[in-house]
Amino acid sequence: KILLILFSLCLSFPIFANENGHASEAFDLPGIIDHHLYDHAEFPLNFGGVKVYEGDKDFDKANPAIFEEHLEGNATKKYHFVGGFDMHITRRVTMMWIVTFFLLITFIPAARLIASNPLKVHSRFTGAVETVLEYLRKEVIDPNMHGHGHPYYHYLFSLFFFILFCNLFGLIPSVGEIIAMVTGQDPHHSVLTKIWSGITVTGDVSVTVTLAGATLFLIYGTGFAYQGISFIPNSVPNGVPWPLWPLLWPLEFIISPIAKAFALTVRLLANMTAGHVVILALLGFIFEFRSYAIVPISVGGATAIYLLEIFVAFVQAFIFTLLTSLFVGSSMHRH
């Protein structure tokens, strides 16, 4: 992974000096980080819009979703859509599809095999799956949901594995970059690179806020399901003096659940983005200072951070599932 990032940086920045011994252009580290971390549309999908090609009077180069249409030979022409409803397929969408497909083809057969004979250890993989699920059930979900976690098993198990593999797949380099490293071609316009971009899905706020929004929905839904309409006044803990009740009720019923969802959003987003930024920054020092002496330091530091990222991928999936169980379980009964 570290070597492939270096290769990608080399493609993005001409490291060879010109005849005067100076680099041909300045190294743009923020631009490199933006390219590797930020999402953008890869496959066009627009309903009701009109294609506008480069050179037309309505073509706007500032449009965030600009695509290339391949013409005869190696020629290309840029275009974007005007009007209509954009549903462009982005890099993170394709990675989420890959993760979802992987989970379906991996865990559905494993679940059927386990269900066929629950008392038998069918393989090491099914044994590992059962071990993880049992740990989550006994040590995470049931204790925090006061023994009422059974209706939530399916969602919380799926949540854990979805976040885990989104984190892990973001550490695997793009297939197009692997092929380009062997063939020496530019990977940036490869179809394989567009399908498997190697981007971390959980490093996007739209993904983390959606997952946290599901937790927020479960907090309120569980509260009303277990306490009924009494959940509204019961959000204020027992023993609170009545003069403080009008002050604490909006804090406990409205602000507190939203703050919990916000904490889930930021925690997962920050942890899965920070490591990638540090790795890119460490490797970027090689091109920023243009010194061979810094190569061992940068590569060694980036490798250490990469190994830490693998650990963080598991930890963040566990923490998100743990806190979701805790927050939802806390709304089942009045405190």
Side-chain angles (χ1 to χ4, degrees):
K1 173 73 173 184
I2 303 301
L3 292 176
L4 286 165
I5 294 177
L6 270 173
F7 171 72
S8 180
L9 289 174
C10 290
L11 290 174
S12 304
F13 175 66
I15 60 174
F16 298 103
N18 57 26
E19 59 183 2
N20 296 323
H22 299 289
S24 56
E25 63 180 69
F27 177 62
D28 182 18
L29 180 58
I32 296 295
I33 293 177
D34 289 350
H35 172 76
H36 281 79
L37 296 183
Y38 285 105
D39 197 14
H40 58 76
E42 292 287 5
F43 300 98
L45 181 61
N46 179 279
F47 298 96
V50 178
K51 278 186 179 181
V52 177
Y53 290 90
E54 187 176 19
D56 296 344
K57 62 178 182 178
D58 295 328
F59 184 82
D60 181 11
K61 293 184 179 180
N63 191 288
I66 296 180
F67 305 96
E68 289 185 350
E69 184 175 298
H70 293 277
L71 306 176
E72 295 183 1
N74 295 324
T76 59
K77 194 172 184 179
K78 294 181 178 180
Y79 70 92
H80 65 79
F81 291 91
V82 173
F85 183 65
D86 287 336
M87 287 289 291
H88 302 315
I89 310 302
T90 67
R91 297 197 297 171
R92 284 197 167 89
V93 170
T94 59
M95 288 299 294
M96 280 193 288
W97 286 351
I98 291 172
V99 171
T100 303
F101 180 72
F102 172 81
L103 293 177
L104 291 176
I105 65 173
T106 302
F107 287 95
I108 289 179
R112 289 177 176 175
L113 196 59
I114 294 171
S116 65
N117 190 351
L119 301 179
K120 178 182 177 181
V121 178
H122 299 274
S123 65
R124 292 182 179 180
F125 176 71
T126 57
V129 170
E130 286 186 279
T131 300
V132 173
L133 295 182
E134 279 297 297
Y135 177 80
L136 291 175
R137 182 177 69 85
K138 292 182 178 181
E139 303 296 332
V140 177
I141 301 175
D142 285 345
N144 291 307
M145 290 190 167
H146 318 290
H148 301 290
H150 186 270
Y152 303 88
Y153 287 160
H154 300 85
Y155 171 72
L156 292 173
F157 291 157
S158 301
L159 178 68
F160 173 80
F161 284 111
F162 177 77
I163 295 176
L164 174 62
F165 284 99
C166 282
N167 296 345
L168 292 177
F169 280 18
L171 298 174
I172 301 175
S174 168
V175 177
E177 289 184 357
I178 296 176
I179 296 175
M181 189 174 183
V182 177
T183 61
Q185 299 176 352
D186 186 354
H188 296 137
H189 300 291
S190 169
V191 176
L192 291 175
T193 301
K194 293 181 178 181
I195 295 175
W196 185 299
S197 60
I199 196 170
T200 304
V201 172
T202 46
D204 189 295
V205 66
S206 61
V207 176
T208 59
V209 76
T210 301
L211 294 174
T215 299
L216 180 65
F217 174 80
L218 282 177
I219 291 174
Y220 283 110
T222 301
F224 284 109
Y226 278 79
Q227 301 185 52
I229 196 65
S230 297
F231 174 61
I232 297 177
N234 286 351
S235 59
V236 178
N238 278 319
V240 175
W242 280 106
L244 294 178
W245 201 93
L247 176 64
L248 287 180
W249 182 83
L251 292 176
E252 294 291 340
F253 185 75
I254 300 175
I255 297 178
S256 178
I258 294 176
K260 292 173 181 176
F262 178 77
L264 289 174
T265 299
V266 175
R267 179 182 287 104
L268 182 59
L269 172 67
N271 280 279
M272 298 315 302
T273 302
H276 290 71
V277 172
V278 173
I279 290 174
L280 290 170
L282 287 172
L283 296 179
F285 289 157
I286 299 173
F287 305 94
E288 186 72 31
F289 295 100
R290 304 184 183 94
S291 172
Y292 290 107
I294 202 172
V295 172
I297 300 175
S298 294
V299 174
T303 303
I305 296 298
Y306 181 75
L307 295 176
L308 180 62
E309 280 282 274
I310 298 176
F311 174 72
V312 170
F314 284 88
V315 170
Q316 290 305 313
F318 172 78
I319 290 178
F320 201 102
T321 307
L322 171 65
L323 292 180
T324 297
S325 303
L326 180 62
F327 294 157
V328 174
S330 65
S331 67
M332 291 180 173
H333 309 286
R334 188 176 188 181
H335 296 277

